[in-house]
mmCIF file of all heavy atoms in Angstrom:
data_model
loop_
_atom_site.group_PDB
_atom_site.id
_atom_site.type_symbol
_atom_site.label_atom_id
_atom_site.label_comp_id
_atom_site.label_asym_id
_atom_site.label_seq_id
_atom_site.Cartn_x
_atom_site.Cartn_y
_atom_site.Cartn_z
ATOM 1 N N GLY A 238 0.611 -3.372 -2.674
ATOM 2 C CA GLY A 238 1.822 -2.546 -2.648
ATOM 3 C C GLY A 238 1.751 -1.541 -3.780
ATOM 4 O O GLY A 238 0.727 -1.398 -4.455
ATOM 5 N N ALA A 239 2.880 -0.873 -3.983
ATOM 6 C CA ALA A 239 2.936 0.265 -4.908
ATOM 7 C C ALA A 239 2.436 -0.083 -6.311
ATOM 8 O O ALA A 239 1.926 0.773 -7.035
ATOM 9 C CB ALA A 239 4.372 0.779 -4.966
ATOM 10 N N GLY A 240 2.548 -1.331 -6.720
ATOM 11 C CA GLY A 240 2.161 -1.727 -8.076
ATOM 12 C C GLY A 240 0.702 -1.485 -8.384
ATOM 13 O O GLY A 240 0.339 -1.197 -9.527
ATOM 14 N N GLU A 244 -0.730 2.205 -12.328
ATOM 15 C CA GLU A 244 -1.552 2.621 -13.480
ATOM 16 C C GLU A 244 -2.336 3.895 -13.192
ATOM 17 O O GLU A 244 -3.001 4.439 -14.064
ATOM 18 C CB GLU A 244 -2.490 1.473 -13.901
ATOM 19 C CG GLU A 244 -1.722 0.310 -14.529
ATOM 20 C CD GLU A 244 -2.383 -1.030 -14.279
ATOM 21 O OE1 GLU A 244 -2.138 -1.595 -13.195
ATOM 22 O OE2 GLU A 244 -3.117 -1.514 -15.139
ATOM 23 N N THR A 249 6.263 3.602 -8.482
ATOM 24 C CA THR A 249 6.521 2.570 -7.466
ATOM 25 C C THR A 249 7.897 2.868 -6.876
ATOM 26 O O THR A 249 8.483 3.914 -7.141
ATOM 27 C CB THR A 249 6.532 1.165 -8.120
ATOM 28 O OG1 THR A 249 7.612 1.143 -9.056
ATOM 29 C CG2 THR A 249 5.216 0.883 -8.823
ATOM 30 N N PHE A 250 8.371 1.962 -6.063
ATOM 31 C CA PHE A 250 9.656 2.211 -5.396
ATOM 32 C C PHE A 250 10.815 1.596 -6.147
ATOM 33 O O PHE A 250 11.844 2.224 -6.366
ATOM 34 C CB PHE A 250 9.606 1.650 -3.968
ATOM 35 C CG PHE A 250 8.712 2.452 -3.079
ATOM 36 C CD1 PHE A 250 7.339 2.227 -3.063
ATOM 37 C CD2 PHE A 250 9.226 3.478 -2.303
ATOM 38 C CE1 PHE A 250 6.507 2.992 -2.263
ATOM 39 C CE2 PHE A 250 8.393 4.242 -1.492
ATOM 40 C CZ PHE A 250 7.031 3.992 -1.476
ATOM 41 N N ARG A 251 10.590 0.332 -6.539
ATOM 42 C CA ARG A 251 11.725 -0.424 -7.080
ATOM 43 C C ARG A 251 11.824 -0.424 -8.587
ATOM 44 O O ARG A 251 12.870 -0.796 -9.122
ATOM 45 C CB ARG A 251 11.626 -1.883 -6.583
ATOM 46 C CG ARG A 251 12.163 -2.045 -5.191
ATOM 47 C CD ARG A 251 12.098 -3.505 -4.781
ATOM 48 N NE ARG A 251 12.638 -3.668 -3.445
ATOM 49 C CZ ARG A 251 11.990 -3.300 -2.357
ATOM 50 N NH1 ARG A 251 10.799 -2.776 -2.440
ATOM 51 N NH2 ARG A 251 12.509 -3.450 -1.164
ATOM 52 N N TRP A 258 12.884 4.969 -5.830
ATOM 53 C CA TRP A 258 14.177 4.648 -5.248
ATOM 54 C C TRP A 258 15.284 4.678 -6.276
ATOM 55 O O TRP A 258 16.454 4.640 -5.933
ATOM 56 C CB TRP A 258 14.124 3.292 -4.534
ATOM 57 C CG TRP A 258 13.212 3.310 -3.345
ATOM 58 C CD1 TRP A 258 12.532 4.397 -2.861
ATOM 59 C CD2 TRP A 258 12.856 2.216 -2.506
ATOM 60 N NE1 TRP A 258 11.773 4.030 -1.772
ATOM 61 C CE2 TRP A 258 11.962 2.712 -1.535
ATOM 62 C CE3 TRP A 258 13.213 0.869 -2.474
ATOM 63 C CZ2 TRP A 258 11.420 1.906 -0.538
ATOM 64 C CZ3 TRP A 258 12.676 0.056 -1.483
ATOM 65 C CH2 TRP A 258 11.794 0.561 -0.538
ATOM 66 N N TYR A 283 8.263 14.482 0.717
ATOM 67 C CA TYR A 283 6.879 14.037 0.980
ATOM 68 C C TYR A 283 5.866 15.054 0.473
ATOM 69 O O TYR A 283 4.781 14.694 0.012
ATOM 70 C CB TYR A 283 6.693 13.731 2.475
ATOM 71 C CG TYR A 283 7.264 12.384 2.843
ATOM 72 C CD1 TYR A 283 8.558 12.251 3.351
ATOM 73 C CD2 TYR A 283 6.538 11.217 2.612
ATOM 74 C CE1 TYR A 283 9.093 11.004 3.642
ATOM 75 C CE2 TYR A 283 7.069 9.965 2.885
ATOM 76 C CZ TYR A 283 8.346 9.868 3.395
ATOM 77 O OH TYR A 283 8.874 8.629 3.657
ATOM 78 N N ARG A 286 5.398 14.257 -3.076
ATOM 79 C CA ARG A 286 4.577 13.042 -3.260
ATOM 80 C C ARG A 286 3.114 13.319 -2.912
ATOM 81 O O ARG A 286 2.203 12.818 -3.557
ATOM 82 C CB ARG A 286 5.140 11.904 -2.414
ATOM 83 C CG ARG A 286 6.449 11.353 -2.962
ATOM 84 C CD ARG A 286 7.059 10.333 -2.029
ATOM 85 N NE ARG A 286 6.204 9.160 -1.837
ATOM 86 C CZ ARG A 286 6.428 8.228 -0.900
ATOM 87 N NH1 ARG A 286 7.465 8.342 -0.077
ATOM 88 N NH2 ARG A 286 5.638 7.192 -0.775
ATOM 89 N N GLN A 317 0.158 -1.359 1.829
ATOM 90 C CA GLN A 317 1.434 -0.759 2.216
ATOM 91 C C GLN A 317 1.509 0.659 1.664
ATOM 92 O O GLN A 317 2.428 1.404 1.965
ATOM 93 C CB GLN A 317 2.602 -1.572 1.658
ATOM 94 C CG GLN A 317 2.631 -3.012 2.144
ATOM 95 C CD GLN A 317 3.665 -3.813 1.383
ATOM 96 O OE1 GLN A 317 4.826 -3.892 1.784
ATOM 97 N NE2 GLN A 317 3.265 -4.406 0.262
ATOM 98 N N HIS A 335 1.202 1.361 6.540
ATOM 99 C CA HIS A 335 2.336 2.302 6.578
ATOM 100 C C HIS A 335 1.888 3.757 6.641
ATOM 101 O O HIS A 335 2.656 4.650 6.293
ATOM 102 C CB HIS A 335 3.248 2.066 5.364
ATOM 103 C CG HIS A 335 3.909 0.727 5.405
ATOM 104 N ND1 HIS A 335 4.466 0.131 4.294
ATOM 105 C CD2 HIS A 335 4.084 -0.167 6.422
ATOM 106 C CE1 HIS A 335 4.983 -1.050 4.635
ATOM 107 N NE2 HIS A 335 4.744 -1.256 5.916
ATOM 108 N N VAL A 376 4.825 5.442 8.174
ATOM 109 C CA VAL A 376 5.730 4.614 8.969
ATOM 110 C C VAL A 376 7.069 4.574 8.245
ATOM 111 O O VAL A 376 7.155 4.045 7.130
ATOM 112 C CB VAL A 376 5.181 3.186 9.120
ATOM 113 C CG1 VAL A 376 6.150 2.321 9.936
ATOM 114 C CG2 VAL A 376 3.795 3.202 9.778
ATOM 115 N N PHE A 378 11.173 3.427 7.869
ATOM 116 C CA PHE A 378 11.963 2.255 8.234
ATOM 117 C C PHE A 378 12.461 2.445 9.668
ATOM 118 O O PHE A 378 12.728 3.575 10.094
ATOM 119 C CB PHE A 378 13.137 2.083 7.262
ATOM 120 C CG PHE A 378 12.685 1.610 5.909
ATOM 121 C CD1 PHE A 378 12.562 2.493 4.850
ATOM 122 C CD2 PHE A 378 12.318 0.283 5.704
ATOM 123 C CE1 PHE A 378 12.106 2.070 3.608
ATOM 124 C CE2 PHE A 378 11.870 -0.150 4.469
ATOM 125 C CZ PHE A 378 11.752 0.755 3.420
ATOM 126 N N GLU A 379 12.544 1.360 10.388
ATOM 127 C CA GLU A 379 12.950 1.335 11.796
ATOM 128 C C GLU A 379 11.850 1.860 12.719
ATOM 129 O O GLU A 379 12.062 2.007 13.913
ATOM 130 C CB GLU A 379 14.250 2.131 12.037
ATOM 131 C CG GLU A 379 15.424 1.593 11.230
ATOM 132 C CD GLU A 379 16.434 2.682 10.952
ATOM 133 O OE1 GLU A 379 16.642 3.542 11.824
ATOM 134 O OE2 GLU A 379 17.003 2.665 9.858
ATOM 135 N N GLU A 380 10.677 2.168 12.184
ATOM 136 C CA GLU A 380 9.548 2.565 13.040
ATOM 137 C C GLU A 380 8.543 1.416 13.110
ATOM 138 O O GLU A 380 8.393 0.663 12.136
ATOM 139 C CB GLU A 380 8.868 3.827 12.501
ATOM 140 C CG GLU A 380 9.726 5.074 12.667
ATOM 141 C CD GLU A 380 8.998 6.358 12.280
ATOM 142 O OE1 GLU A 380 8.191 6.332 11.317
ATOM 143 O OE2 GLU A 380 9.258 7.385 12.930
ATOM 144 N N MET A 381 7.864 1.310 14.215
ATOM 145 C CA MET A 381 6.864 0.259 14.376
ATOM 146 C C MET A 381 5.624 0.596 13.545
ATOM 147 O O MET A 381 5.298 1.770 13.377
ATOM 148 C CB MET A 381 6.443 0.150 15.853
ATOM 149 C CG MET A 381 7.612 -0.071 16.794
ATOM 150 S SD MET A 381 8.491 -1.593 16.428
ATOM 151 C CE MET A 381 7.415 -2.761 17.265
ATOM 152 N N GLY A 404 0.679 -6.313 -6.554
ATOM 153 C CA GLY A 404 1.560 -5.171 -6.802
ATOM 154 C C GLY A 404 2.586 -4.915 -5.735
ATOM 155 O O GLY A 404 2.863 -3.758 -5.403
ATOM 156 N N THR A 405 3.152 -5.991 -5.186
ATOM 157 C CA THR A 405 4.205 -5.764 -4.190
ATOM 158 C C THR A 405 5.367 -6.721 -4.414
ATOM 159 O O THR A 405 5.193 -7.875 -4.764
ATOM 160 C CB THR A 405 3.669 -5.912 -2.747
ATOM 161 O OG1 THR A 405 4.747 -5.653 -1.819
ATOM 162 C CG2 THR A 405 3.091 -7.287 -2.482
ATOM 163 N N ALA A 406 6.556 -6.182 -4.214
ATOM 164 C CA ALA A 406 7.773 -7.005 -4.320
ATOM 165 C C ALA A 406 7.903 -7.894 -3.083
ATOM 166 O O ALA A 406 8.743 -8.786 -3.028
ATOM 167 C CB ALA A 406 8.991 -6.098 -4.458
ATOM 168 N N VAL A 409 9.398 -5.871 2.152
ATOM 169 C CA VAL A 409 9.458 -5.013 3.340
ATOM 170 C C VAL A 409 8.629 -5.669 4.437
ATOM 171 O O VAL A 409 7.458 -5.975 4.247
ATOM 172 C CB VAL A 409 8.936 -3.596 2.999
ATOM 173 C CG1 VAL A 409 8.813 -2.755 4.256
ATOM 174 C CG2 VAL A 409 9.872 -2.930 1.994
ATOM 175 N N TYR A 410 9.277 -5.867 5.585
ATOM 176 C CA TYR A 410 8.625 -6.539 6.719
ATOM 177 C C TYR A 410 8.113 -5.498 7.698
ATOM 178 O O TYR A 410 8.628 -4.378 7.731
ATOM 179 C CB TYR A 410 9.636 -7.485 7.379
ATOM 180 C CG TYR A 410 9.872 -8.679 6.486
ATOM 181 C CD1 TYR A 410 10.757 -8.600 5.403
ATOM 182 C CD2 TYR A 410 9.146 -9.850 6.650
ATOM 183 C CE1 TYR A 410 10.933 -9.670 4.539
ATOM 184 C CE2 TYR A 410 9.320 -10.926 5.787
ATOM 185 C CZ TYR A 410 10.203 -10.819 4.725
ATOM 186 O OH TYR A 410 10.357 -11.879 3.854
ATOM 187 N N ASN A 430 0.752 -9.695 -10.330
ATOM 188 C CA ASN A 430 1.959 -8.904 -10.530
ATOM 189 C C ASN A 430 2.506 -9.262 -11.913
ATOM 190 O O ASN A 430 2.643 -10.449 -12.219
ATOM 191 C CB ASN A 430 2.985 -9.285 -9.446
ATOM 192 C CG ASN A 430 4.150 -8.308 -9.371
ATOM 193 O OD1 ASN A 430 4.636 -7.818 -10.392
ATOM 194 N ND2 ASN A 430 4.584 -7.992 -8.162
ATOM 195 N N PRO A 431 2.835 -8.252 -12.733
ATOM 196 C CA PRO A 431 3.380 -8.610 -14.053
ATOM 197 C C PRO A 431 4.737 -9.302 -13.947
ATOM 198 O O PRO A 431 5.184 -9.973 -14.872
ATOM 199 C CB PRO A 431 3.501 -7.271 -14.777
ATOM 200 C CG PRO A 431 3.326 -6.215 -13.762
ATOM 201 C CD PRO A 431 2.682 -6.799 -12.569
ATOM 202 N N ASN A 432 5.400 -9.134 -12.790
ATOM 203 C CA ASN A 432 6.736 -9.728 -12.622
ATOM 204 C C ASN A 432 6.761 -10.802 -11.551
ATOM 205 O O ASN A 432 5.921 -10.823 -10.659
ATOM 206 C CB ASN A 432 7.730 -8.613 -12.235
ATOM 207 C CG ASN A 432 7.744 -7.495 -13.261
ATOM 208 O OD1 ASN A 432 7.886 -7.741 -14.455
ATOM 209 N ND2 ASN A 432 7.542 -6.266 -12.807
ATOM 210 N N PRO A 447 -0.775 -6.448 -15.296
ATOM 211 C CA PRO A 447 -0.926 -5.280 -14.424
ATOM 212 C C PRO A 447 -2.240 -5.360 -13.633
ATOM 213 O O PRO A 447 -3.238 -5.891 -14.149
ATOM 214 C CB PRO A 447 -0.963 -4.108 -15.398
ATOM 215 C CG PRO A 447 -0.393 -4.624 -16.668
ATOM 216 C CD PRO A 447 -0.692 -6.086 -16.713
ATOM 217 N N ALA A 448 -2.250 -4.827 -12.440
ATOM 218 C CA ALA A 448 -3.433 -4.947 -11.572
ATOM 219 C C ALA A 448 -4.687 -4.379 -12.224
ATOM 220 O O ALA A 448 -5.784 -4.926 -12.065
ATOM 221 C CB ALA A 448 -3.156 -4.212 -10.263
HETATM 222 C C1 BV8 B 689 9.910 -2.415 11.540
HETATM 223 C C2 BV8 B 689 5.977 4.292 4.040
HETATM 224 C C3 BV8 B 689 10.497 -2.925 13.770
HETATM 225 C C4 BV8 B 689 6.880 5.460 3.854
HETATM 226 C C5 BV8 B 689 7.358 2.286 3.842
HETATM 227 C C6 BV8 B 689 17.464 -3.111 9.559
HETATM 228 C C7 BV8 B 689 17.214 -1.998 10.350
HETATM 229 C C8 BV8 B 689 15.908 -1.578 10.627
HETATM 230 C C9 BV8 B 689 14.845 -2.286 10.118
HETATM 231 C C10 BV8 B 689 15.114 -3.383 9.327
HETATM 232 C C11 BV8 B 689 16.394 -3.806 9.036
HETATM 233 N N1 BV8 B 689 16.305 -4.912 8.236
HETATM 234 C C12 BV8 B 689 15.009 -5.192 8.003
HETATM 235 C C13 BV8 B 689 14.273 -4.288 8.667
HETATM 236 C C14 BV8 B 689 12.856 -4.221 8.719
HETATM 237 C C15 BV8 B 689 12.424 -3.177 7.686
HETATM 238 C C16 BV8 B 689 12.482 -3.827 6.308
HETATM 239 O O1 BV8 B 689 11.660 -4.665 6.008
HETATM 240 N N2 BV8 B 689 13.479 -3.432 5.495
HETATM 241 C C17 BV8 B 689 13.594 -4.002 4.165
HETATM 242 C C18 BV8 B 689 14.214 -2.960 3.220
HETATM 243 C C19 BV8 B 689 14.441 -5.260 4.234
HETATM 244 N N3 BV8 B 689 11.085 -2.826 8.048
HETATM 245 C C20 BV8 B 689 10.869 -1.794 8.859
HETATM 246 O O2 BV8 B 689 11.747 -1.025 9.252
HETATM 247 C C21 BV8 B 689 9.431 -1.645 9.325
HETATM 248 N N4 BV8 B 689 9.401 -1.460 10.729
HETATM 249 O O3 BV8 B 689 10.371 -3.445 11.154
HETATM 250 O O4 BV8 B 689 9.830 -2.046 12.872
HETATM 251 C C22 BV8 B 689 11.898 -2.425 13.903
HETATM 252 C C23 BV8 B 689 12.133 -1.304 14.696
HETATM 253 C C24 BV8 B 689 13.454 -0.853 14.841
HETATM 254 C C25 BV8 B 689 14.516 -1.518 14.195
HETATM 255 C C26 BV8 B 689 14.247 -2.641 13.395
HETATM 256 C C27 BV8 B 689 12.940 -3.086 13.233
HETATM 257 C C28 BV8 B 689 8.792 -0.433 8.671
HETATM 258 C C29 BV8 B 689 8.643 -0.680 7.175
HETATM 259 C C30 BV8 B 689 7.765 0.410 6.551
HETATM 260 C C31 BV8 B 689 8.613 1.371 5.750
HETATM 261 N N5 BV8 B 689 7.731 2.347 5.093
HETATM 262 N N6 BV8 B 689 6.484 3.145 3.302
HETATM 263 C C32 BV8 B 689 6.913 5.940 2.423
HETATM 264 O O5 BV8 B 689 6.095 5.486 1.597
HETATM 265 O O6 BV8 B 689 7.762 6.790 2.138
HETATM 266 S S1 BV8 B 689 7.984 1.060 2.888
HETATM 267 C C33 BV8 B 689 7.548 1.309 1.272
HETATM 268 O O7 BV8 B 689 8.371 0.464 0.538
HETATM 269 C C34 BV8 B 689 6.159 0.862 0.904
HETATM 270 O O8 BV8 B 689 5.211 1.180 1.884
HETATM 271 C C35 BV8 B 689 6.304 -0.600 0.665
HETATM 272 O O9 BV8 B 689 6.132 -1.324 1.851
HETATM 273 C C36 BV8 B 689 7.725 -0.690 0.231
HETATM 274 C C37 BV8 B 689 7.800 -0.796 -1.277
HETATM 275 O O10 BV8 B 689 7.405 -2.047 -1.583
HETATM 276 P P1 BV8 B 689 6.305 -2.308 -2.702
HETATM 277 O O11 BV8 B 689 5.027 -1.691 -2.318
HETATM 278 O O12 BV8 B 689 6.349 -3.764 -2.919
HETATM 279 O O13 BV8 B 689 6.783 -1.523 -3.980
HETATM 280 P P2 BV8 B 689 7.981 -1.910 -4.969
HETATM 281 O O14 BV8 B 689 8.232 -0.754 -5.854
HETATM 282 O O15 BV8 B 689 9.090 -2.482 -4.161
HETATM 283 O O16 BV8 B 689 7.374 -3.098 -5.856
HETATM 284 C C38 BV8 B 689 6.327 -2.793 -6.747
HETATM 285 C C39 BV8 B 689 5.818 -4.129 -7.230
HETATM 286 O O17 BV8 B 689 4.700 -3.871 -8.060
HETATM 287 C C40 BV8 B 689 6.835 -4.884 -8.058
HETATM 288 O O18 BV8 B 689 6.804 -6.244 -7.710
HETATM 289 C C41 BV8 B 689 6.328 -4.691 -9.498
HETATM 290 O O19 BV8 B 689 6.589 -5.826 -10.299
HETATM 291 C C42 BV8 B 689 4.853 -4.560 -9.266
HETATM 292 N N7 BV8 B 689 4.134 -3.778 -10.272
HETATM 293 C C43 BV8 B 689 4.587 -2.746 -11.020
HETATM 294 N N8 BV8 B 689 3.564 -2.290 -11.793
HETATM 295 C C44 BV8 B 689 2.469 -3.030 -11.505
HETATM 296 C C45 BV8 B 689 2.821 -3.978 -10.531
HETATM 297 N N9 BV8 B 689 1.952 -4.863 -10.017
HETATM 298 C C46 BV8 B 689 0.682 -4.829 -10.494
HETATM 299 N N10 BV8 B 689 0.263 -3.949 -11.426
HETATM 300 C C47 BV8 B 689 1.117 -3.044 -11.951
HETATM 301 N N11 BV8 B 689 0.691 -2.168 -12.881
#
Side-chain angles (χ1 to χ4, degrees):
E244 290 149 276
T249 63
F250 289 84
R251 278 183 179 74
W258 295 357
Y283 281 95
R286 288 174 62 191
Q317 300 171 90
H335 294 162
V376 179
F378 288 101
E379 300 153 36
E380 289 187 324
M381 305 299 279
T405 181
V409 172
Y410 288 81
N430 193 321
N432 303 309

